[in-house]
Amino acid sequence: MLTTSCTHVTSFFFRIIPSQEKAQECLYKAFGYDWYFLRLRTTMEETSREAVATAVQRVAGMLQRSDQLDKVEQYRRREARKKASVEARLKAAIQSQLDGVRTGLTQLHSALLDVKDIQGSLADVSKDWRQSINTIENLKDVKDAVVQHSQLASAVENLKNIFSVPEIVADTQQLIEQGELLQAHRKLMELECSRDDLMYEQYRMDSKNTSDMNLISIYFEDVQGLSDELAKQLWMVLQRSMVTVRRDPTMLVSVVRIIEREVKIDRRMVDRKKQSGFIPPGRPKRWKDKMFEVLEGTVSTRIEGTQSVTREADKMWLVRLLEITRKYVLDDLIVVKNLMVQCFPQHYDTFNRFFGLYHNAVSSRVKELAAEDLEANEIVSMLTWVLNTYKSVEMMGHPDLASECDINALEALLPQDVVDDLLSKYVKTFTSNITGWLRKALETDKKDWQKETEPEADQDGYYQTTLPAIVFQMFEQNLQVAAQIDGDFKEQVLKLCLKQMNTFLIRYREEAVTYKEEHLRDRQLPQCYVQYMIAIINNCQTFKESINSLKRKYSQSSEPTDSDAAIERTLSEVAKEGCQFLLDEVFLDLEHHLYELMTRKWLTGSHAVDTICVTVEDYFNDFNKIKKPFNQGEDTDRLCGAIAAIAEVFKLTDPTLLFLEVTTLVSKYPDIREEHIQALLAVRGDASREMRQMIIGTLSENKVTYSAVTQPIFKDIAVPTITNTMTSMTSMATAKLLK
């Protein structure tokens, strides 16, 4: 039972006390030396039993096979050596433990003697303290006398200053007026020190005696006025700090020294208030905080004062304002870095403080400007300055400032929602303006269409008007402006330009049609209709090339926009219709002469063919001024081949071969119809009725589809069904064929 109890106690001590030596020391104190050895013996018995069990297991493992019996002696010697080694280590450990126990007992004995000495000393102290209580109560009068002596000593010490207060006040006022601020502040501190000491002593003696406090305050009432006057002078110097630091930096240094003195006095007075509850009137002054407020106001005033003109006086007022602001800010910050930093303590972090003040002042000013009713060009100037110029090397990112600040840490001058509002306002204004510009440009171009002189030609001799150049000059200017603001905004403006271009081209197409219709009402006017219609066609190609040039120059995306397909389609339609209008003009001149063909007058002698050739040649001399690809018409060889094939039918002299010739014609041009064949046979006049029926019947039975024909020729040529007008209508068909 004793052994078990000891085991539990020992385990408890070793668990709650991390150091084994400390645990043993506690056990010695608790149970004594004999108990420790009892516990040690118990532990050794348990260890011995565990060792025997382990040895039995090892021997059983080594002698599992018969061949291992030969090695018994070898095993015995090896284990004997191990046992001797373990016993030697165990003896050494036990000896070490015994030495530690002996040392611990010696220390415990010494500690016991020390404790007894301390107990005796404490008893003596307690006895003396009880005897001195009455003596302390009897010293209250002495304490009061000490306080009174302290007050009188303070009064005597300040007596000289007290009597000379009016004189010191006058001297201080004079020094302030003369600008001797350091000396003035030194005298002011003497006055304040005398006043504050007297008040403090009065407060210590009788804090509730307000009459004496008021008496002191009245006597020193001029001191507060001097303090206020000196403060005004300090703020004036700080307000002109940019000028002062260039002319007389010592003045600025003096101001900073005075403010630093006041900071220390404020700190001392606040600490004394925590201890005694008293603080002099006017404290803490917080002149350091006021200094930074003055500097902030000075910077704000400097930025706000940069506007020298208004919109009414100068349309470039905003550009001038922003440029002046840039120059002032850059110049001032360079002065701060090179001169002003040296006038302030290092812990003020002067440059970064001024850097932040100027940034905040500029931000406030820019926000005020953004809230005004800015015009489109003013919005561009504003955003270009805010988004690009401000952080560039021309301003806050200037090389002279780069080593002192991180412009990337600056907040944006304008919030993003304000920037978005300005951009939206600019887009609306730009859309309205560009619509008006395009309308005006088209009206000007339309007036040129009525001129009696031919349009200008480019370096390759192609007719053109100034409309594409005017339009894309407007686009180019606005895109250059948008590129200064932001890449994304540039893309937005480009898309807007293309959208407006599509609307403009639709109007351009309508005006070209109107131009043609007005000409048909009086073909004598305008005199240069053909030439200007050619210029209109050529403008389509110029428009297309200019659009591609803008996209390459101002777009980072190769993806087509929503307007691309519509613009391409409209330009193609304008050019195609213009070419058709020119062909209509040609055939209006040729119509009378084409009707003479295949008539009796033509057979007896006519100049119709010569006139047709001369007219066509004259027109096509003008048509050479049409740009590619619009000057390619269609497959003219195929059209001319159709005329030659019809001529072969007419030239045939042997009627028996007529069926073969007509069959050949139909095989070449499968879109030819029965009425076309009947008209050709009627023109010949020598085909019998049976021959006509055989040819028509055979062709109807072996009709060839022409859906695969890329260029139908006869499809749109109508032939009257009345027999007696067959000849005249055949002439009309010939004219349409040529067309």
Side-chain angles (χ1 to χ4, degrees):
M1 177 66 83
L2 178 61
T3 302
T4 304
S5 300
C6 291
T7 301
H8 289 310
V9 172
T10 305
S11 301
F12 172 76
F13 271 96
F14 276 94
R15 185 167 63 252
I16 66 173
I17 302 176
S19 173
Q20 184 176 2
E21 294 181 358
K22 292 292 184 180
Q24 291 174 355
E25 184 176 351
C26 292
L27 289 173
Y28 298 155
K29 293 178 180 179
F31 300 105
Y33 186 79
D34 294 337
W35 174 88
Y36 176 76
F37 278 102
L38 176 61
R39 171 58 184 161
L40 182 61
R41 187 178 64 184
T42 303
T43 304
M44 292 179 62
E45 290 176 355
E46 292 177 356
T47 305
S48 177
R49 286 194 295 271
E50 292 176 0
V52 171
T54 303
V56 170
Q57 292 179 356
R58 291 188 60 188
V59 170
M62 289 187 295
L63 301 178
Q64 289 181 352
R65 298 190 307 273
S66 59
D67 59 342
Q68 292 177 328
L69 294 175
D70 297 337
K71 299 180 180 180
V72 170
E73 185 61 25
Q74 181 180 351
Y75 292 154
R76 188 185 66 78
R77 288 195 300 269
R78 185 178 63 186
E79 293 302 323
R81 287 196 299 271
K82 288 184 179 180
K83 179 182 178 183
S85 176
V86 170
E87 289 178 348
R89 291 199 301 270
L90 182 59
K91 290 178 180 179
I94 292 174
Q95 184 63 40
S96 176
Q97 291 288 336
L98 292 175
D99 293 341
V101 169
R102 186 179 298 107
T103 302
L105 291 175
T106 303
Q107 292 176 349
L108 284 173
H109 181 71
S110 176
L112 180 60
L113 295 177
D114 293 339
V115 168
K116 289 180 179 180
D117 292 340
I118 292 172
Q119 286 178 343
S121 299
L122 287 175
D124 295 339
V125 170
S126 178
K127 181 179 179 181
D128 294 340
W129 177 76
R130 289 190 183 93
Q131 292 175 353
S132 63
I133 291 177
N134 296 330
T135 305
I136 293 174
E137 292 177 354
N138 295 332
L139 292 177
K140 184 177 184 301
D141 295 338
V142 177
K143 178 182 178 182
D144 294 339
V146 169
V147 172
Q148 187 176 10
H149 176 76
S150 175
Q151 293 171 346
L152 292 174
S154 177
V156 171
E157 183 179 352
N158 292 285
L159 191 61
K160 180 180 179 180
N161 292 336
I162 291 173
F163 285 114
S164 60
V165 164
E167 181 182 353
I168 297 175
V169 168
D171 292 343
T172 305
Q173 183 66 44
Q174 185 177 4
L175 289 171
I176 292 175
E177 293 173 356
Q178 293 174 353
E180 300 292 338
L181 302 183
L182 273 178
Q183 296 183 28
H185 184 251
R186 187 176 296 108
K187 289 186 174 294
L188 176 63
M189 286 193 298
E190 292 176 2
L191 291 171
E192 289 180 338
C193 183
S194 298
R195 180 198 63 183
D196 297 345
D197 288 346
L198 289 174
M199 285 186 169
Y200 178 62
E201 295 300 336
Q202 177 61 37
Y203 180 84
R204 289 177 58 192
M205 184 173 64
D206 187 2
S207 61
K208 297 180 180 180
N209 188 351
T210 57
S211 60
D212 290 345
M213 280 289 192
N214 292 335
L215 182 63
I216 298 174
S217 297
I218 293 172
Y219 187 76
F220 285 92
E221 62 181 353
D222 292 337
V223 175
Q224 186 61 42
L226 289 175
S227 178
D228 295 339
E229 184 65 26
L230 178 61
K232 290 180 182 179
Q233 296 298 319
L234 299 182
W235 311 148
M236 288 178 60
V237 173
L238 289 172
Q239 288 169 356
R240 298 161 50 194
S241 56
M242 286 298 169
V243 178
T244 304
V245 78
R246 292 183 176 98
R247 297 179 178 177
D248 186 10
T250 57
M251 177 65 74
L252 185 59
V253 173
S254 298
V255 170
V256 176
R257 288 180 60 187
I258 292 171
I259 292 173
E260 279 294 290
R261 289 175 183 173
E262 290 295 334
V263 169
K264 293 178 181 178
I265 297 173
D266 278 348
R267 189 181 302 118
R268 188 167 63 250
M269 293 297 109
V270 171
D271 292 340
R272 188 167 69 177
K273 180 183 178 182
K274 294 178 181 179
Q275 297 174 0
S276 64
F278 170 78
I279 190 166
R283 292 290 178 184
K285 292 183 179 180
R286 297 188 177 92
W287 278 8
K288 183 177 180 181
D289 295 337
K290 180 63 177 178
M291 174 184 68
F292 291 130
E293 292 177 7
V294 171
L295 290 175
E296 182 178 1
T298 301
V299 172
S300 298
T301 303
R302 179 123 170 111
I303 299 302
E304 291 172 359
T306 55
Q307 183 169 350
S308 57
V309 294
T310 61
R311 180 186 290 118
E312 292 75 15
D314 187 354
K315 291 184 178 180
M316 301 296 291
W317 69 277
L318 184 59
V319 175
R320 297 182 185 278
L321 168 62
L322 295 175
E323 176 58 22
I324 293 173
T325 301
R326 183 199 67 80
K327 187 176 185 304
Y328 278 12
V329 171
L330 179 59
D331 292 347
D332 288 358
L333 287 177
I334 291 177
V335 170
V336 170
K337 176 194 172 186
N338 296 331
L339 299 177
M340 194 170 292
V341 168
Q342 304 172 15
C343 299
F344 289 84
Q346 186 175 2
H347 66 272
Y348 276 32
D349 195 14
T350 305
F351 180 82
N352 286 324
R353 186 178 292 272
F354 271 92
F355 195 79
L357 291 177
Y358 275 94
H359 174 74
N360 294 335
V362 172
S363 179
S364 298
R365 182 58 177 148
V366 168
K367 289 175 183 176
E368 293 175 0
L369 294 173
E372 297 185 11
D373 187 18
L374 297 178
E375 298 178 356
N377 62 322
E378 294 170 350
I379 292 175
V380 170
S381 300
M382 168 74 74
L383 292 179
T384 302
W385 194 87
V386 167
L387 300 177
N388 298 318
T389 304
Y390 184 70
K391 290 188 177 181
S392 70
V393 295
E394 298 177 359
M395 196 171 175
M396 306 304 267
H398 193 275
D400 289 345
L401 308 178
S403 61
E404 301 293 333
C405 63
D406 181 11
I407 59 173
N408 296 321
L410 287 175
E411 296 181 358
L413 283 179
L414 286 177
Q416 188 59 43
D417 58 336
V418 177
V419 174
D420 293 339
D421 289 342
L422 289 175
L423 291 176
S424 177
K425 183 178 179 181
Y426 173 80
V427 168
K428 290 179 182 178
T429 306
F430 169 71
T431 303
S432 176
N433 290 345
I434 202 169
T435 301
W437 294 335
L438 292 174
R439 184 185 299 111
K440 185 177 180 181
L442 183 55
E443 292 297 326
T444 303
D445 206 56
K446 283 170 55 181
K447 292 179 181 178
D448 292 343
W449 297 352
Q450 307 298 327
K451 289 182 178 180
E452 297 180 357
T453 56
E454 294 183 354
E456 298 179 357
D458 63 11
Q459 58 185 5
D460 297 321
Y462 297 118
Y463 288 137
Q464 64 178 7
T465 67
T466 58
L467 181 62
I470 293 173
V471 169
F472 284 94
Q473 184 179 7
M474 291 188 296
F475 287 168
E476 180 85 17
Q477 290 174 352
N478 284 277
L479 284 169
Q480 288 176 353
V481 169
Q484 295 175 2
I485 297 175
D486 182 67
D488 294 336
F489 183 65
K490 176 188 65 177
E491 296 278 355
Q492 182 181 353
V493 172
L494 176 60
K495 291 180 180 178
L496 180 61
C497 289
L498 295 178
K499 183 178 180 181
Q500 292 296 317
M501 186 67 190
N502 184 44
T503 304
F504 167 76
L505 289 176
I506 294 174
R507 176 77 184 280
Y508 188 58
R509 178 187 179 189
E510 294 172 353
E511 294 296 340
V513 173
T514 303
Y515 182 55
K516 173 245 185 182
E517 292 173 349
E518 292 176 351
H519 170 70
L520 290 180
R521 286 194 285 269
D522 183 1
R523 296 189 62 229
Q524 300 301 317
L525 297 175
Q527 295 182 8
C528 297
Y529 166 77
V530 172
Q531 290 79 5
Y532 277 99
M533 185 58 71
I534 292 174
I536 291 173
I537 296 170
N538 288 340
N539 285 348
C540 293
Q541 182 62 22
T542 305
F543 278 133
K544 185 182 298 184
E545 294 171 354
S546 299
I547 289 171
N548 292 333
S549 175
L550 283 182
K551 290 172 64 177
R552 286 193 302 269
K553 186 174 182 180
Y554 293 102
S555 178
Q556 303 297 326
S557 173
S558 59
E559 297 294 326
T561 65
D562 297 336
S563 305
D564 287 351
I567 291 175
E568 181 72 22
R569 181 172 59 254
T570 304
L571 286 173
S572 298
E573 290 174 352
V574 173
K576 184 177 180 180
E577 290 175 354
C579 291
Q580 187 61 49
F581 296 161
L582 292 176
L583 292 177
D584 290 343
E585 185 72 7
V586 174
F587 284 104
L588 284 174
D589 284 347
L590 296 179
E591 185 175 19
H592 174 71
H593 303 291
L594 289 173
Y595 278 133
E596 289 186 9
L597 299 179
M598 307 299 176
T599 64
R600 192 173 299 280
K601 179 181 178 181
W602 176 60
L603 292 173
T604 58
S606 171
H607 298 289
V609 174
D610 294 335
T611 303
I612 291 171
C613 292
V614 171
T615 302
V616 170
E617 183 178 2
D618 181 59
Y619 271 108
F620 275 85
N621 284 333
D622 288 332
F623 294 168
N624 285 330
K625 304 293 181 66
I626 299 177
K627 287 184 177 182
K628 294 180 180 180
F630 308 124
N631 61 358
Q632 303 292 329
E634 301 170 328
D635 187 1
T636 55
D637 293 338
R638 178 176 172 79
L639 297 176
C640 294
I643 298 175
I646 294 174
E648 292 297 327
V649 175
F650 291 151
K651 290 191 299 182
L652 187 66
T653 57
D654 187 358
T656 59
L657 299 177
L658 188 60
F659 175 77
L660 179 61
E661 195 65 38
V662 172
T663 303
T664 302
L665 176 64
V666 173
S667 64
K668 289 183 178 180
Y669 305 98
D671 63 318
I672 196 169
R673 300 192 300 273
E674 292 181 7
E675 55 266 30
H676 296 139
I677 301 298
Q678 291 176 355
L680 291 176
L681 296 177
V683 170
R684 282 185 59 89
D686 59 352
S688 63
R689 182 177 181 183
E690 291 78 10
M691 175 67 71
R692 292 200 300 273
Q693 290 178 347
M694 181 187 69
I695 293 173
I696 297 300
T698 303
L699 292 177
S700 298
E701 293 175 359
N702 301 289
K703 191 171 183 179
V704 180
T705 180
Y706 62 91
S707 59
V709 177
T710 57
Q711 188 182 13
I713 297 176
F714 295 92
K715 180 171 67 70
D716 297 327
I717 299 179
V719 179
T721 57
I722 303 175
T723 306
N724 57 2
T725 59
M726 184 65 72
T727 302
S728 63
M729 296 312 296
T730 302
S731 298
M732 293 177 61
T734 304
K736 290 184 179 180
L737 177 63
L738 288 173
K739 182 176 179 181

